[in-house]
Amino acid sequence: MAEIAYILLCHKDPQAVIQQARRLTVAGDNMAIHFDASAPAEQYERIRAELDGLPNVTFAKKRVKCGWGEWSLVQATLNALESAIEAFPRATHFYMLSGDCMAIKTAEYAHQFLDARDVDFIESFDFFDSDWIKTGMKEDRLIYRHYFNERTQKRRFYAAFNLQRRLGLKRAIPADIQVQIGSQWWCLRRRTVEAILAMVAKRRDVMRFFRTTWIPDETFFQSLVRHLVPDTEIESRTLTFLLFSDYGLPVTFYNDHYDLLLAQDYLFARKISPEATDLKARLGRLYAARDVSFQISNEGRSLYAFLTGRGRIGRRFGMRFWETESSLGRERELMIVVCKKWHVAKRLLERIRQVTNVPAVDYLFNEENTALPDLGGIQSTLEKRTRHRRSLMRMLFDYYETDRLIVCMDPGNLDLMEDFFADRSTTRLLEIECQFSDDYLAGHARRVGLAGEQTSAATLARLLPTIRNDMIYETDRIRDAGFPRHGRLRENATVEENAGRLAEFLTIAPEKALQIVRPDHLFAD
């Protein structure tokens, strides 16, 4: 009978990892865990302390710091596979999981399912001929070398990419490898995993190639399995049920999806909402149950496509981007920096990026050319960003894989601030209070088209008080709104005073805040 070794890659929530390991090993299966080396050491130590006594649980012998789209995710998987092969000699199948996955069938059903099919379950479609990639890079993922992370080192990523393209530094794909692409959630037989590990040790050229491809977890195992295993022994599908929105983001499942999930022809589902405590409890009990019959209807994808194509009221399948009530997420924290002098706010955000790891985005609702990732087109115009503001923000949280995000807004965006403060997420506001000289106001009038180069000094003199009063009015409206968690940095305050307010806003140590605000030119025009 099949015996499964689950390969779990995770980077947060130690308690959830512990619960998942106990749930999936109670029926005699196994688990090899790789916990991201960039996560706090005390979290990993807690997991080890709780699970070290379980004979069916092992850990990757070497942990690596993982980043989305990087080779590090593949290396972490290989490290966990090596530990699993050694620790679980009776394991017949190796099943890739994340911390967001949960079983939607019993262990009994899963074992019978795998016994009935002597194949590897892994999506593997021809990289060049298929339309698996919907947006972003395609061929460029492979033919150029990618040394930097596109999310955390965007400038370096594109600088290196553009330099190679200008210089014509394309590289060849290993001659005997037909690159495949597909989901990273697979289930492989033992002999396939052993063959992959043997090839990894032998084929340094293949390893060199994939180490510098972009998003290799969607191509590495998919290509090697197709290279090593006959087509008749590969079922090009995943056993993990997952849906994607029109914008390429994974659909989240909630408490009222239990019956829908059980009816799908899959063994696991991803992603389960952190807030779906009832669903998690029911699915957790399900895995160890016996003699459960499942009525497979497999309508999940078509039903989701039907409903999202029309829009509706209700929450059964999660909230949609066009519903104004849709939330950023109760566990998330949005930090809004408001300043009329955009260059001052941008300067502050650049300092914050240098000193902290919190992602920060400049005036995304005010400047069309603000640097934003490709989110399927919702980011393409100011009008779209504003209309789908909450959806855009949720996508940015997901893109940066963070629960904390900083954005800049103009004081005139009061309606946006009110909307975000009405959300269930935690919203903070930091207002930067600047001094406005007549020269600055005159320049502002020219930048926004209120005055031209030929406007007389007398006309400007009459215009400046109105502009100044308008700026004061915008500030007063923000203060009259009575937002909670509203702090201010002042140009005429001391560095220590501003550091204290910034530390409170970012919830960081005062010395870090002092490091951010210390430069004398922060408020310079």
Side-chain angles (χ1 to χ4, degrees), residues 442 445-446 450-464:
R446 295 186 182 96
L450 294 175
E453 294 300 323
Q454 306 305 317
T455 302
S456 67
T459 301
L460 271 177
R462 291 193 298 270
L463 189 59
L464 294 187

Side-chain angles (χ1 to χ4, degrees), residues 68 98 129 135 197 227 275 327 353 367 417 428 483:
W68 185 90
S98 77
D129 293 339
T135 61
L197 294 178
H227 180 78
E275 300 174 0
S327 173
R353 292 188 193 101
E367 289 187 303
M417 300 174 216
R428 301 179 185 277
F483 295 130

Side-chain angles (χ1 to χ4, degrees), residues 497-513:
E497 288 173 338
N498 282 336
R501 295 184 183 113
L502 184 64
E504 184 177 357
F505 173 70
L506 295 174
T507 59
I508 60 174
E511 52 268 24
K512 273 196 171 183

Side-chain angles (χ1 to χ4, degrees), residues 337-355:
V337 174
V338 175
C339 185
K340 198 65 181 181
K341 290 187 177 181
W342 294 3
H343 61 280
V344 173
K346 290 179 181 180
R347 199 175 288 149
L348 178 68
L349 258 63
E350 186 58 32
R351 293 289 300 152
I352 290 174
R353 292 188 193 101
Q354 293 171 5
V355 176

